[in-house]
């Protein structure tokens, strides 16, 4: 019985001696081992695009927070600020994962709107602002869904990070859609 279990484990995890030897090679790669299943340059490029997207969303929500005025603006402003802070949290988590994968977070302001999937749209009034935020959230939802599908089982850590972010973007989209109806 024991040998069957051990045999199965060996088939899944591979030879322990080889495993220990490989772990000692390329230790400068940190968390990235030969078993990393995704194409690292592609994942880093996608994550840097996601990082740019989050930063554009921080800036757009901040602009909307400061510029919102009118009779309905008080509760909407708070929502904008909360979203700005959550997008900043996403940006930080993505940047940390980029470093963990041996890459560098691209925080160069030059080109950030080109790298971003979502757009920076100021909006002329409260309704325009909420509409632009809803559109940006829907862009983020679609691009994160595609990245998650691409990562699959190849990089479960990045996939789970993006799944968590996706769930928040879906809440953001719902918040904006609800606000739009209430105006
Ligand atoms: Fe976000
Ligand atoms: Fe969002």
């Amino acid at each position: 019985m024991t040998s069957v279990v051990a045999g199965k484990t060996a088939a899944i995890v591979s030879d322990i001696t080889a495993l220990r030897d490989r772990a000692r090679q390329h230790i400068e790669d940190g968390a990235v081992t030969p078993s990393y299943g995704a194409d690292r340059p592609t994942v880093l490029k996608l994550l840097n695009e996601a990082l740019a997207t989050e930063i554009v969303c921080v800036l757009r929500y901040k602009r909307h927070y400061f510029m919102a005025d009118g009779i309905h603006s008080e509760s909407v402003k708070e929502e904008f600020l909360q979203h700005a802070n959550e997008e900043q949290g996403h940006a930080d988590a993505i940047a940390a994962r980029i470093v963990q994968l041996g890459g560098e977070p691209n925080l160069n302001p030059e080109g950030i709107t080109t790298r971003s999937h979502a757009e920076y749209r100021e909006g002329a009034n409260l309704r325009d602002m909420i509409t632009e935020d809803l559109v940006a959230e829907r862009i983020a939802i679609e691009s994160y869904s595609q990245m998650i599908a691409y990562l699959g089982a190849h990089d479960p850590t990045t996939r789970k990070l993006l799944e968590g972010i996706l769930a928040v973007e879906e809440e953001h989209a719902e918040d904006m859609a609800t606000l739009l109806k209430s105006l």
Side-chain angles (χ1 to χ4, degrees), residues 64-81:
H64 292 174
Y65 166 68
F66 286 111
M67 290 300 288
D69 65 357
I71 191 154
H72 301 290
S73 68
E74 275 317 307
S75 59
V76 179
K77 273 173 98 85
E78 288 314 304
E79 200 81 38
F80 287 160
L81 183 60

PDB file of all heavy atoms in Angstrom, residues 64-81:
ATOM      1  N   HIS A  64     -12.135  62.277 -11.361  1.00  0.00           N
ATOM      2  CA  HIS A  64     -13.584  62.305 -11.182  1.00  0.00           C
ATOM      3  C   HIS A  64     -13.945  62.645  -9.737  1.00  0.00           C
ATOM      4  O   HIS A  64     -14.904  63.368  -9.485  1.00  0.00           O
ATOM      5  CB  HIS A  64     -14.200  60.959 -11.601  1.00  0.00           C
ATOM      6  CG  HIS A  64     -14.088  60.715 -13.083  1.00  0.00           C
ATOM      7  ND1 HIS A  64     -14.446  59.533 -13.682  1.00  0.00           N
ATOM      8  CD2 HIS A  64     -13.645  61.527 -14.085  1.00  0.00           C
ATOM      9  CE1 HIS A  64     -14.254  59.622 -14.993  1.00  0.00           C
ATOM     10  NE2 HIS A  64     -13.751  60.808 -15.255  1.00  0.00           N
ATOM     11  N   TYR A  65     -13.169  62.126  -8.799  1.00  0.00           N
ATOM     12  CA  TYR A  65     -13.408  62.423  -7.381  1.00  0.00           C
ATOM     13  C   TYR A  65     -13.324  63.934  -7.123  1.00  0.00           C
ATOM     14  O   TYR A  65     -14.193  64.513  -6.486  1.00  0.00           O
ATOM     15  CB  TYR A  65     -12.404  61.665  -6.514  1.00  0.00           C
ATOM     16  CG  TYR A  65     -12.353  62.149  -5.080  1.00  0.00           C
ATOM     17  CD1 TYR A  65     -13.432  61.948  -4.222  1.00  0.00           C
ATOM     18  CD2 TYR A  65     -11.229  62.818  -4.596  1.00  0.00           C
ATOM     19  CE1 TYR A  65     -13.397  62.409  -2.914  1.00  0.00           C
ATOM     20  CE2 TYR A  65     -11.186  63.278  -3.289  1.00  0.00           C
ATOM     21  CZ  TYR A  65     -12.275  63.067  -2.452  1.00  0.00           C
ATOM     22  OH  TYR A  65     -12.239  63.520  -1.156  1.00  0.00           O
ATOM     23  N   PHE A  66     -12.279  64.561  -7.646  1.00  0.00           N
ATOM     24  CA  PHE A  66     -12.093  65.992  -7.378  1.00  0.00           C
ATOM     25  C   PHE A  66     -13.056  66.867  -8.176  1.00  0.00           C
ATOM     26  O   PHE A  66     -13.398  67.960  -7.737  1.00  0.00           O
ATOM     27  CB  PHE A  66     -10.637  66.403  -7.651  1.00  0.00           C
ATOM     28  CG  PHE A  66      -9.688  65.921  -6.593  1.00  0.00           C
ATOM     29  CD1 PHE A  66      -8.758  64.928  -6.860  1.00  0.00           C
ATOM     30  CD2 PHE A  66      -9.746  66.436  -5.297  1.00  0.00           C
ATOM     31  CE1 PHE A  66      -7.897  64.473  -5.873  1.00  0.00           C
ATOM     32  CE2 PHE A  66      -8.887  65.984  -4.301  1.00  0.00           C
ATOM     33  CZ  PHE A  66      -7.969  64.997  -4.593  1.00  0.00           C
ATOM     34  N   MET A  67     -13.465  66.401  -9.347  1.00  0.00           N
ATOM     35  CA  MET A  67     -14.273  67.250 -10.232  1.00  0.00           C
ATOM     36  C   MET A  67     -15.785  67.064 -10.082  1.00  0.00           C
ATOM     37  O   MET A  67     -16.551  67.892 -10.561  1.00  0.00           O
ATOM     38  CB  MET A  67     -13.882  67.011 -11.696  1.00  0.00           C
ATOM     39  CG  MET A  67     -12.510  67.526 -12.076  1.00  0.00           C
ATOM     40  SD  MET A  67     -12.346  69.322 -11.823  1.00  0.00           S
ATOM     41  CE  MET A  67     -13.357  69.940 -13.178  1.00  0.00           C
ATOM     42  N   ALA A  68     -16.198  65.980  -9.442  1.00  0.00           N
ATOM     43  CA  ALA A  68     -17.640  65.724  -9.335  1.00  0.00           C
ATOM     44  C   ALA A  68     -18.309  66.827  -8.534  1.00  0.00           C
ATOM     45  O   ALA A  68     -17.847  67.168  -7.434  1.00  0.00           O
ATOM     46  CB  ALA A  68     -17.878  64.369  -8.676  1.00  0.00           C
ATOM     47  N   ASP A  69     -19.354  67.398  -9.087  1.00  0.00           N
ATOM     48  CA  ASP A  69     -20.148  68.340  -8.292  1.00  0.00           C
ATOM     49  C   ASP A  69     -21.613  68.251  -8.731  1.00  0.00           C
ATOM     50  O   ASP A  69     -21.960  67.494  -9.624  1.00  0.00           O
ATOM     51  CB  ASP A  69     -19.609  69.778  -8.382  1.00  0.00           C
ATOM     52  CG  ASP A  69     -19.722  70.368  -9.774  1.00  0.00           C
ATOM     53  OD1 ASP A  69     -20.173  69.642 -10.695  1.00  0.00           O
ATOM     54  OD2 ASP A  69     -19.364  71.542  -9.951  1.00  0.00           O
ATOM     55  N   GLY A  70     -22.463  68.971  -8.024  1.00  0.00           N
ATOM     56  CA  GLY A  70     -23.888  68.903  -8.318  1.00  0.00           C
ATOM     57  C   GLY A  70     -24.627  68.172  -7.219  1.00  0.00           C
ATOM     58  O   GLY A  70     -24.018  67.672  -6.272  1.00  0.00           O
ATOM     59  N   ILE A  71     -25.926  68.106  -7.370  1.00  0.00           N
ATOM     60  CA  ILE A  71     -26.807  67.641  -6.297  1.00  0.00           C
ATOM     61  C   ILE A  71     -26.560  66.168  -5.926  1.00  0.00           C
ATOM     62  O   ILE A  71     -26.703  65.776  -4.779  1.00  0.00           O
ATOM     63  CB  ILE A  71     -28.287  67.900  -6.696  1.00  0.00           C
ATOM     64  CG1 ILE A  71     -29.212  67.691  -5.494  1.00  0.00           C
ATOM     65  CG2 ILE A  71     -28.730  67.062  -7.882  1.00  0.00           C
ATOM     66  CD1 ILE A  71     -30.497  68.486  -5.604  1.00  0.00           C
ATOM     67  N   HIS A  72     -26.160  65.343  -6.898  1.00  0.00           N
ATOM     68  CA  HIS A  72     -25.966  63.914  -6.630  1.00  0.00           C
ATOM     69  C   HIS A  72     -24.516  63.567  -6.299  1.00  0.00           C
ATOM     70  O   HIS A  72     -24.172  62.402  -6.162  1.00  0.00           O
ATOM     71  CB  HIS A  72     -26.371  63.094  -7.861  1.00  0.00           C
ATOM     72  CG  HIS A  72     -27.788  63.287  -8.277  1.00  0.00           C
ATOM     73  ND1 HIS A  72     -28.847  62.816  -7.535  1.00  0.00           N
ATOM     74  CD2 HIS A  72     -28.330  63.916  -9.350  1.00  0.00           C
ATOM     75  CE1 HIS A  72     -29.980  63.153  -8.135  1.00  0.00           C
ATOM     76  NE2 HIS A  72     -29.686  63.822  -9.239  1.00  0.00           N
ATOM     77  N   SER A  73     -23.672  64.582  -6.190  1.00  0.00           N
ATOM     78  CA  SER A  73     -22.235  64.286  -6.238  1.00  0.00           C
ATOM     79  C   SER A  73     -21.658  63.679  -4.959  1.00  0.00           C
ATOM     80  O   SER A  73     -20.678  62.937  -5.039  1.00  0.00           O
ATOM     81  CB  SER A  73     -21.453  65.550  -6.598  1.00  0.00           C
ATOM     82  OG  SER A  73     -21.539  66.480  -5.537  1.00  0.00           O
ATOM     83  N   GLU A  74     -22.246  63.949  -3.787  1.00  0.00           N
ATOM     84  CA  GLU A  74     -21.566  63.551  -2.542  1.00  0.00           C
ATOM     85  C   GLU A  74     -21.310  62.042  -2.434  1.00  0.00           C
ATOM     86  O   GLU A  74     -20.180  61.622  -2.213  1.00  0.00           O
ATOM     87  CB  GLU A  74     -22.323  64.070  -1.311  1.00  0.00           C
ATOM     88  CG  GLU A  74     -21.949  65.495  -0.924  1.00  0.00           C
ATOM     89  CD  GLU A  74     -20.435  65.812  -0.978  1.00  0.00           C
ATOM     90  OE1 GLU A  74     -19.660  65.061  -0.350  1.00  0.00           O
ATOM     91  OE2 GLU A  74     -20.046  66.775  -1.648  1.00  0.00           O
ATOM     92  N   SER A  75     -22.351  61.229  -2.609  1.00  0.00           N
ATOM     93  CA  SER A  75     -22.162  59.779  -2.482  1.00  0.00           C
ATOM     94  C   SER A  75     -21.324  59.245  -3.652  1.00  0.00           C
ATOM     95  O   SER A  75     -20.534  58.312  -3.490  1.00  0.00           O
ATOM     96  CB  SER A  75     -23.504  59.066  -2.426  1.00  0.00           C
ATOM     97  OG  SER A  75     -24.232  59.345  -3.597  1.00  0.00           O
ATOM     98  N   VAL A  76     -21.481  59.879  -4.826  1.00  0.00           N
ATOM     99  CA  VAL A  76     -20.728  59.442  -6.003  1.00  0.00           C
ATOM    100  C   VAL A  76     -19.231  59.702  -5.797  1.00  0.00           C
ATOM    101  O   VAL A  76     -18.381  58.865  -6.122  1.00  0.00           O
ATOM    102  CB  VAL A  76     -21.243  60.144  -7.283  1.00  0.00           C
ATOM    103  CG1 VAL A  76     -20.443  59.707  -8.501  1.00  0.00           C
ATOM    104  CG2 VAL A  76     -22.716  59.856  -7.499  1.00  0.00           C
ATOM    105  N   LYS A  77     -18.920  60.864  -5.238  1.00  0.00           N
ATOM    106  CA  LYS A  77     -17.503  61.199  -4.967  1.00  0.00           C
ATOM    107  C   LYS A  77     -16.843  60.120  -4.110  1.00  0.00           C
ATOM    108  O   LYS A  77     -15.717  59.695  -4.385  1.00  0.00           O
ATOM    109  CB  LYS A  77     -17.428  62.531  -4.187  1.00  0.00           C
ATOM    110  CG  LYS A  77     -17.398  63.754  -5.050  1.00  0.00           C
ATOM    111  CD  LYS A  77     -17.491  64.995  -4.168  1.00  0.00           C
ATOM    112  CE  LYS A  77     -16.141  65.606  -3.895  1.00  0.00           C
ATOM    113  NZ  LYS A  77     -15.697  66.515  -4.954  1.00  0.00           N
ATOM    114  N   GLU A  78     -17.534  59.690  -3.059  1.00  0.00           N
ATOM    115  CA  GLU A  78     -16.977  58.673  -2.162  1.00  0.00           C
ATOM    116  C   GLU A  78     -16.703  57.369  -2.909  1.00  0.00           C
ATOM    117  O   GLU A  78     -15.707  56.694  -2.666  1.00  0.00           O
ATOM    118  CB  GLU A  78     -17.916  58.432  -0.978  1.00  0.00           C
ATOM    119  CG  GLU A  78     -17.929  59.576   0.026  1.00  0.00           C
ATOM    120  CD  GLU A  78     -16.509  60.072   0.378  1.00  0.00           C
ATOM    121  OE1 GLU A  78     -15.674  59.249   0.811  1.00  0.00           O
ATOM    122  OE2 GLU A  78     -16.251  61.275   0.191  1.00  0.00           O
ATOM    123  N   GLU A  79     -17.629  57.049  -3.805  1.00  0.00           N
ATOM    124  CA  GLU A  79     -17.476  55.836  -4.619  1.00  0.00           C
ATOM    125  C   GLU A  79     -16.239  55.962  -5.525  1.00  0.00           C
ATOM    126  O   GLU A  79     -15.439  55.036  -5.646  1.00  0.00           O
ATOM    127  CB  GLU A  79     -18.731  55.642  -5.468  1.00  0.00           C
ATOM    128  CG  GLU A  79     -18.934  54.233  -5.982  1.00  0.00           C
ATOM    129  CD  GLU A  79     -19.547  53.323  -4.929  1.00  0.00           C
ATOM    130  OE1 GLU A  79     -20.426  53.781  -4.171  1.00  0.00           O
ATOM    131  OE2 GLU A  79     -19.122  52.168  -4.871  1.00  0.00           O
ATOM    132  N   PHE A  80     -16.071  57.124  -6.150  1.00  0.00           N
ATOM    133  CA  PHE A  80     -14.899  57.367  -7.008  1.00  0.00           C
ATOM    134  C   PHE A  80     -13.608  57.208  -6.210  1.00  0.00           C
ATOM    135  O   PHE A  80     -12.650  56.576  -6.669  1.00  0.00           O
ATOM    136  CB  PHE A  80     -14.945  58.782  -7.609  1.00  0.00           C
ATOM    137  CG  PHE A  80     -15.965  58.993  -8.695  1.00  0.00           C
ATOM    138  CD1 PHE A  80     -16.398  60.276  -9.014  1.00  0.00           C
ATOM    139  CD2 PHE A  80     -16.482  57.923  -9.423  1.00  0.00           C
ATOM    140  CE1 PHE A  80     -17.322  60.494 -10.037  1.00  0.00           C
ATOM    141  CE2 PHE A  80     -17.423  58.117 -10.437  1.00  0.00           C
ATOM    142  CZ  PHE A  80     -17.843  59.412 -10.735  1.00  0.00           C
ATOM    143  N   LEU A  81     -13.587  57.781  -5.014  1.00  0.00           N
ATOM    144  CA  LEU A  81     -12.375  57.721  -4.199  1.00  0.00           C
ATOM    145  C   LEU A  81     -12.058  56.286  -3.779  1.00  0.00           C
ATOM    146  O   LEU A  81     -10.901  55.850  -3.856  1.00  0.00           O
ATOM    147  CB  LEU A  81     -12.535  58.613  -2.951  1.00  0.00           C
ATOM    148  CG  LEU A  81     -11.303  58.697  -2.048  1.00  0.00           C
ATOM    149  CD1 LEU A  81     -10.096  59.247  -2.792  1.00  0.00           C
ATOM    150  CD2 LEU A  81     -11.601  59.550  -0.808  1.00  0.00           C
TER     151      LEU A  81
END
